[in-house]
Amino acid sequence: MSHARSEYTDFRSLAPELYDAILAVSQQAAKAGLDKQLLELVKIRASQINGCAFCVQHHVLLAEKLGLSADKINLVVVWREAPQFTARERAALAFTEALTRLEGGVSDEVYALARAEFSEAELVFLTSAIGVINLWNRYGVAFRWTPAERPARAAS
């Protein structure tokens, strides 16, 4: 394990306008009405593929706050083999993988699955969410941002 080259907070202070612009795009899919839990699954999966530990941890913690089940969070890496995922989530995850890996583009089959579950407008916003998490992943991987520590639970 190597140390961080710089941290997420450094990015915010070095390029606040860029940070604000990326963050604004990051928020559009949820503002357009896409389910926040589904978006967190998408962000976790893209971040797993890209090897961004910072983003995986960040979005796991957000997913937990949103009440996403531990099973879905833990099994998103093997979503095809896990029965917990809905048809809509499966379509979003397949679309995420196709847009994140890009080697073969988005096949007609994957596009048809996504289109069957999402309206044209929803698919535009889903695509933006996938694109922007891939952008965040590039920063996290390039600068080896340190993943956040899980907050300590209050003693009961």
Side-chain angles (χ1 to χ4, degrees), residues 91-121:
L93 291 166
F95 200 64
T96 298
E97 289 183 358
L99 286 175
T100 299
R101 292 191 172 122
L102 281 183
E103 60 262 357
V106 177
S107 71
D108 290 341
E109 177 186 6
V110 168
Y111 184 83
L113 285 171
R115 194 57 189 89
E117 295 294 330
F118 296 91
S119 71
E120 286 185 61

Side-chain angles (χ1 to χ4, degrees), residues 32-111:
L34 284 178
D35 180 73
K36 290 179 181 179
Q37 289 186 351
L38 178 130
L39 290 170
E40 292 308 320
L41 288 173
V42 162
K43 293 171 185 178
I44 293 165
R45 186 65 192 122
S47 299
Q48 290 170 336
I49 292 167
N50 289 322
C52 184
F54 175 89
C55 291
V56 168
Q57 179 72 340
H58 179 77
H59 292 288
V60 162
L61 294 173
L62 287 176
E64 289 172 350
K65 284 182 184 177
L66 289 171
L68 197 60
S69 76
D71 285 345
K72 282 189 178 179
I73 294 169
N74 293 330
L75 294 171
V76 70
V77 70
V78 290
W79 63 269
R80 285 180 178 84
E81 289 76 30
Q84 287 83 353
F85 298 94
T86 66
R88 187 169 169 91
E89 290 166 339
R90 290 176 181 284
L93 291 166
F95 200 64
T96 298
E97 289 183 358
L99 286 175
T100 299
R101 292 191 172 122
L102 281 183
E103 60 262 357
V106 177
S107 71
D108 290 341
E109 177 186 6
V110 168
Y111 184 83

Side-chain angles (χ1 to χ4, degrees), residues 5-23:
R5 295 176 174 140
S6 71
E7 292 294 354
Y8 173 75
T9 53
D10 297 329
F11 176 71
R12 289 178 66 181
S13 63
L14 289 168
E17 297 85 6
L18 181 58
Y19 172 85
D20 289 345
I22 297 169
L23 185 62

